């Protein structure tokens, strides 16, 4: 059988271990890509090979049930391909609603000993108070970017819940003088703005990474890795498949095959001069300020970080500020954007003010 630890970084698949070697001081690893490079496989392989206790989190209790309960004899655990390739014996077992574990098994296929990893649903976090997670060293949220049409919690709740659980585990480790807990986030490139990416304040960094064509950026010890086709090329068989040839140039194909945020609209993201523009609004969000200018000759608004004295100020970190901005400015600016008269220095401003304002805030 193959050796779990003997990883070949040139085998045409993703290797999480390589990210930890390139950025050993990072406390968080965000990895996004097209479908299929083996993100989950690589992570679980490293955890098993190095005997690292970990949490593997999915979004819903139903996700955990699918992992832990074979359907008509078909095992849907992410360890199935690892067991196949390395002769290991790991099986998923449900512990409670939305909570499970990965276990070694005996010759009869029965789970034995302590779990090598905990399986957890995002919407089961409140029910884990009685579970000891003090030895956990890696916390992985798999598919943290929801699929289009998938029901998620409103606003930034998912990001807040994830970081709260992370801090609960990490704080205990720090008190005992142990290494930082590592947070690992895997996803396909469906949408760049989510509750998790907004709370971590990496939306613009991810957009800029894709635009640059590079693979890595390190922001505040957050390693962001965009797995591109140049890094892990398609095989000849994949390139010649009917589906690839039919859909490669479509929006869906650019997401599925290119790992791009193809369904997002970046046409309003640009740099504009503000020399003769008037600073109309100061906006505070998550403790940071940006400013909305109006160019009087063209009637075009522009949101950017350049600070000047503004006429009006709005604090979107307060409920009253959110409602006041919505009542006084939202429709005006949304209409300006629809008429191609509102531009943005960063995608996060466009996403906040136009795309997701009513889903982020209760207005």
């Amino acid at each position: 059988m193959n050796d779990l630890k003997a990883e070949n970084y040139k085998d045409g698949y993703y290797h999480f271990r390589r990210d930890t070697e390139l950025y050993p001081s990072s406390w968080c690893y965000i990895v996004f890509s097209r479908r299929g490079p083996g993100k989950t496989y690589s992570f679980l392989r490293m955890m098993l090979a190095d005997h690292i206790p970990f949490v593997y989190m999915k979004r819903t209790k139903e996700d955990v049930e699918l992992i832990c309960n074979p359907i008509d004899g078909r095992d849907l655990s992410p360890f199935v391909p690892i067991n196949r390739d390395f002769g290991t014996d790991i099986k998923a077992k449900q512990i409670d609603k939305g909570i499970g574990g990965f276990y070694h098994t005996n010759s009869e296929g029965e789970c034995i000993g302590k779990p090598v990893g905990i399986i957890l649903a995002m919407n089961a976090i409140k029910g884990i108070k009685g579970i000891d997670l003090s030895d956990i060293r890696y916390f992985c949220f798999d598919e943290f970017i929801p699929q289009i049409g998938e029901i998620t919690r409103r606003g930034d709740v998912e990001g807040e819940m994830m970081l709260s659980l992370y801090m609960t585990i990490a704080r205990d480790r720090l008190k005992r003088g142990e290494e930082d807990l590592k947070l690992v986030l895997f996803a396909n490139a469906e949408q760049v703005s989510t509750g998790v990416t907004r709370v971590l304040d990496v939306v613009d960094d991810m957009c800029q990474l894709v635009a640059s064509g590079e693979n890595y950026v390190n922001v505040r010890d957050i390693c962001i890795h965009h797995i591109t086709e140049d890094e892990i090329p398609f095989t000849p068989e994949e390139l010649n498949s009917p589906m690839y040839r039919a859909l490669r140039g479509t929006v869906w194909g650019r997401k599925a095959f290119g790992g791009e945020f193809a369904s997002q609209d970046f046409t309003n993201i640009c740099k504009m001069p503000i020399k003769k523009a008037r600073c109309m609004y100061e906006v505070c969000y998550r403790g940071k300020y940006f400013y909305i200018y109006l160019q009087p000759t063209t009637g075009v608004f522009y949101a950017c970080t350049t600070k000047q004295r503004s006429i009006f100020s709005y604090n979107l970190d307060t409920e009253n500020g959110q409602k006041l901005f919505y009542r006084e400015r939202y429709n005006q600016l949304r209409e300006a954007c629809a008429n191609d008269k509102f531009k943005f220095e960063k995608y996060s401003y466009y996403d906040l003010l136009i795309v997701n304002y009513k889903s982020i805030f209760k207005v």
Side-chain angles (χ1 to χ4, degrees):
M1 281 293 176
N2 297 323
D3 184 356
L4 273 170
K5 285 194 174 184
E7 299 192 39
N8 175 13
Y9 292 166
K10 297 182 179 180
D11 62 1
Y13 290 95
Y14 167 72
H15 291 266
F16 176 67
R17 187 186 297 277
R18 184 167 183 268
D19 285 355
T20 65
E21 292 172 353
L22 290 173
Y23 296 91
S25 63
S26 293
W27 67 275
C28 176
Y29 298 86
I30 301 175
V31 185
F32 62 100
S33 69
R34 69 174 191 258
R35 293 167 170 81
K39 299 183 291 294
T40 304
Y41 180 105
S42 177
F43 171 80
L44 294 177
R45 175 184 178 177
M46 177 177 161
M47 298 300 102
L48 191 61
D50 294 357
H51 307 287
I52 298 174
F54 64 95
V55 164
Y56 177 73
M57 189 165 75
K58 300 287 282 185
R59 179 161 282 102
T60 69
K61 295 176 182 178
E62 290 73 22
D63 291 333
V64 173
E65 288 185 8
L66 284 174
I67 290 172
C68 296
N69 299 290
I71 298 176
D72 295 331
R74 182 179 292 276
D75 191 345
L76 300 178
S77 164
F79 266 104
V80 167
I82 296 176
N83 291 337
R84 175 200 64 210
D85 294 344
F86 299 99
T88 51
D89 60 356
I90 304 300
K91 181 180 179 180
K93 177 183 177 182
Q94 190 162 349
I95 299 172
D96 203 343
K97 190 74 172 177
I99 303 172
F102 293 115
Y103 294 83
H104 286 289
T105 57
N106 59 23
S107 56
E108 283 75 38
E110 299 169 334
C111 295
I112 56 176
K114 291 178 60 177
V116 298
I118 298 295
I119 312 167
L120 180 64
M122 164 69 76
N123 56 7
I125 286 179
K126 294 181 180 178
I128 68 166
K129 296 179 181 178
I131 297 179
D132 179 21
L133 299 176
S134 58
D135 65 336
I136 296 299
R137 290 169 53 194
Y138 279 78
F139 173 19
C140 175
F141 186 4
D142 199 10
E143 298 185 63
F144 78 94
I145 296 178
Q147 300 288 320
I148 299 298
E150 187 174 357
I151 298 174
T152 60
R153 292 174 180 267
R154 186 183 184 89
D156 297 342
V157 173
E158 282 193 350
E160 300 282 0
M161 291 177 64
M162 181 198 71
L163 286 185
S164 293
L165 177 59
Y166 171 88
M167 280 303 301
T168 298
I169 304 172
R171 190 185 307 114
D172 184 57
R173 292 184 60 81
L174 291 174
K175 285 183 178 180
R176 289 183 280 118
E178 298 181 358
E179 295 179 0
D180 280 345
L181 176 70
K182 301 290 189 180
L183 176 62
V184 183
L185 304 172
F186 291 142
N188 297 325
E190 292 288 345
Q191 50 188 319
V192 67
S193 177
T194 69
V196 172
T197 54
R198 288 192 295 266
V199 168
L200 289 173
D201 193 18
V202 293
V203 171
D204 293 315
D205 300 297
M206 292 171 68
C207 289
Q208 290 165 11
L209 182 61
V210 172
S212 72
E214 299 294 326
N215 296 118
Y216 289 95
V217 66
N218 189 35
V219 182
R220 308 184 311 275
D221 281 331
I222 299 173
C223 167
I224 306 176
H225 183 183
H226 177 213
I227 305 174
T228 63
E229 187 175 344
D230 290 336
E231 182 182 1
I232 301 181
F234 285 98
T235 64
E237 292 77 13
E238 289 173 318
L239 291 173
N240 289 321
S241 69
M243 186 178 190
Y244 182 93
R245 286 187 281 110
L247 298 176
R248 182 68 177 95
T250 67
V251 170
W252 187 90
R254 286 165 56 201
K255 290 192 299 181
F257 304 135
E260 304 174 29
F261 297 111
S263 58
Q264 269 73 63
D265 180 9
F266 296 104
T267 57
N268 289 313
I269 315 306
C270 61
K271 297 286 187 181
M272 287 185 61
I274 58 170
K275 186 175 181 180
K276 297 182 179 180
R278 188 177 187 185
C279 187
M280 302 294 293
Y281 316 122
E282 175 189 71
V283 181
C284 176
Y285 180 58
R286 293 196 172 278
K288 295 183 178 181
Y289 291 86
F290 63 93
Y291 302 85
I292 301 175
Y293 289 79
L294 175 63
Q295 183 59 256
T297 57
T298 62
V300 174
F301 290 94
Y302 180 57
C304 65
T305 54
T306 303
K307 182 178 179 179
Q308 281 192 22
R309 185 184 296 276
S310 60
I311 301 174
F312 302 97
S313 181
Y314 298 93
N315 185 358
L316 302 187
D317 290 332
T318 67
E319 186 175 351
N320 285 337
Q322 297 160 14
K323 292 180 177 178
L324 183 64
F325 182 88
Y326 180 76
R327 186 172 65 248
E328 294 185 349
R329 308 299 169 198
Y330 177 79
N331 288 331
Q332 172 200 21
L333 295 176
R334 187 174 180 83
E335 183 177 352
C337 188
N339 291 321
D340 199 30
K341 289 186 176 294
F342 195 3
K343 304 298 179 180
F344 308 83
E345 180 184 35
K346 298 182 178 182
Y347 179 82
S348 58
Y349 302 157
Y350 171 63
D351 176 72
L352 172 68
L353 298 180
I354 304 300
V355 180
N356 281 314
Y357 192 91
K358 289 196 288 186
S359 63
I360 295 173
F361 304 125
K362 292 181 180 180
V363 293

